[in-house]
Amino acid sequence: MKFVTFSHKKAGHHHHAGVLDGGQVACLTEAGLAASVLEVVQGGKAALDRVRAGLAKVPRYALADVALEAPIRPGKVLCSGINYKGHAEENPNAKMPTEPFFFAKLPTSVVGPDVPVEKPVRTEQMDYEVEFTVVIGRKLHKASEADVMPAIFGYTLLNDISARDVQFKDSQITIGKNFAGFAPIGPCIVTADELTRPDDVALKTRLNGKLLQNGSTSDWLFSLPRLISFLSHYVPLEPGDLVSTGTPAGVGAFQKPQIFMKAGDVVEIEAAGIGVLRTPIVAG
């Protein structure tokens, strides 16, 4: 199933939980099946079974008539850095890590599909990063690699927007990654039973229609079980947390010449099986 959060002027209130069903969105909230996507994630298999059993009878809206929002409001967003082997080819000076490393995107940076994101006046190097992202479905703390895959609810996309001139000045990675709107996620969460090969997913980024990133999760440096098991020994992970898995080669900072986003641009990131996450850039 593909879970979404959406609003619709005919539905009576905003932030409905829904399921994509062809060209329609089945509204779980109106049917009393789930108040939010987070509730489904936290409910585990029992919640999924309840949704499946009731899906045929819920109200539906045309996808073209709804506004998709961030599919979930995460408690934490942890992002893996340098997790693609292709980085060594585009940046010969890159130091490939021997262990995973992570940084945080703050929940206040999260926005949904098609939400305009301001180019801050404090950066001239606003960059894009397509990131295949895990939605945690069960608590993981000091987890073995064997514990990881059964604990994954599903997958979504994150555009890890970055202000490179802020990020690289004095290693200000937290500030450089967390301007308002710098964590678009969506368009949906695909359940793990539907996307069964997370280690072989095609990823793309287009800026104003030009293809700039064209990679695959098959190029990961660290596997999903290794990545998340490692993280869980330092940070307890809860249902609804997001863990992104790095970005393939092709980011703007390593283009020749460099390419950075500006007001008027539109960036689209895409993952096979998940869809396209579109973000317009506007003046700050």
Side-chain angles (χ1 to χ4, degrees):
M1 285 186 289
K2 294 182 177 180
F3 285 89
V4 295
T5 299
F6 73 98
S7 60
H8 191 289
K9 62 183 180 182
K10 293 182 180 178
H13 61 85
H14 297 297
H15 315 305
H16 296 278
V19 171
L20 293 181
D21 187 8
Q24 297 182 314
V25 178
C27 185
L28 306 179
T29 303
E30 284 188 285
L33 291 175
S36 67
V37 175
L38 180 59
E39 180 181 290
V40 179
V41 174
Q42 292 173 333
K45 184 179 183 301
L48 281 172
D49 288 345
R50 186 170 62 250
V51 170
R52 288 191 179 99
L55 197 57
K57 299 178 181 179
V58 305
R60 281 169 163 72
Y61 298 98
L63 179 57
D65 294 337
V66 308
L68 295 182
E69 303 174 1
I72 196 168
R73 303 308 303 187
K76 297 189 288 293
V77 184
L78 286 307
C79 302
S80 173
I82 310 182
N83 192 38
Y84 281 77
K85 299 167 190 172
H87 286 305
E89 298 175 13
E90 70 172 356
N91 179 18
N93 296 321
K95 182 180 179 181
M96 304 305 284
T98 57
E99 290 186 329
F101 75 90
F102 290 87
F103 57 88
K105 302 283 271 194
L106 305 179
T108 50
S109 299
V110 170
V111 294
D114 291 303
V115 173
V117 173
E118 292 184 356
K119 188 199 87 62
V121 296
R122 290 185 176 271
T123 181
E124 295 304 321
Q125 296 186 351
M126 186 179 184
D127 209 347
Y128 52 83
E129 293 187 21
V130 57
E131 303 225 355
F132 182 82
T133 300
V134 172
V135 181
I136 300 297
R138 299 183 202 163
K139 184 174 182 178
L140 288 173
H141 188 209
K142 302 179 183 178
S144 71
E145 292 188 20
D147 294 331
V148 169
M149 300 308 292
I152 292 174
F153 176 84
Y155 307 99
T156 189
L157 276 173
L158 164 74
N159 191 342
D160 176 20
I161 299 178
S162 309
R164 300 299 189 193
D165 42 0
V166 177
Q167 175 187 348
F168 294 138
K169 182 179 180 181
D170 301 325
S171 299
Q172 290 277 24
I173 190 166
T174 299
I175 293 175
K177 296 277 190 176
N178 282 290
F179 285 91
F182 269 33
I185 63 172
C188 64
I189 295 171
V190 181
T191 51
D193 63 336
E194 188 168 313
L195 201 163
T196 58
R197 287 294 309 274
D199 57 349
D200 189 21
V201 175
L203 301 173
K204 301 179 188 297
T205 296
R206 292 179 294 272
L207 184 62
N208 302 323
K210 181 179 180 181
L211 182 65
L212 295 177
Q213 287 184 284
N214 187 14
S216 169
T217 58
S218 61
D219 193 43
W220 277 336
L221 188 62
F222 301 108
S223 71
L224 212 50
R226 167 72 172 133
L227 200 70
I228 295 177
S229 170
F230 177 90
L231 176 60
S232 77
H233 279 78
Y234 295 88
V235 181
L237 300 173
E238 302 285 346
D241 288 346
L242 302 184
V243 180
S244 77
T245 58
T247 195
V251 297
F254 296 117
Q255 298 281 343
K256 295 180 176 56
Q258 292 179 318
I259 298 173
F260 295 112
M261 297 187 293
K262 61 187 184 302
D265 287 347
V266 175
V267 59
E268 294 174 307
I269 64 172
E270 180 176 358
I274 298 176
V276 176
L277 175 60
R278 179 181 179 274
T279 301
I281 308 301
V282 298

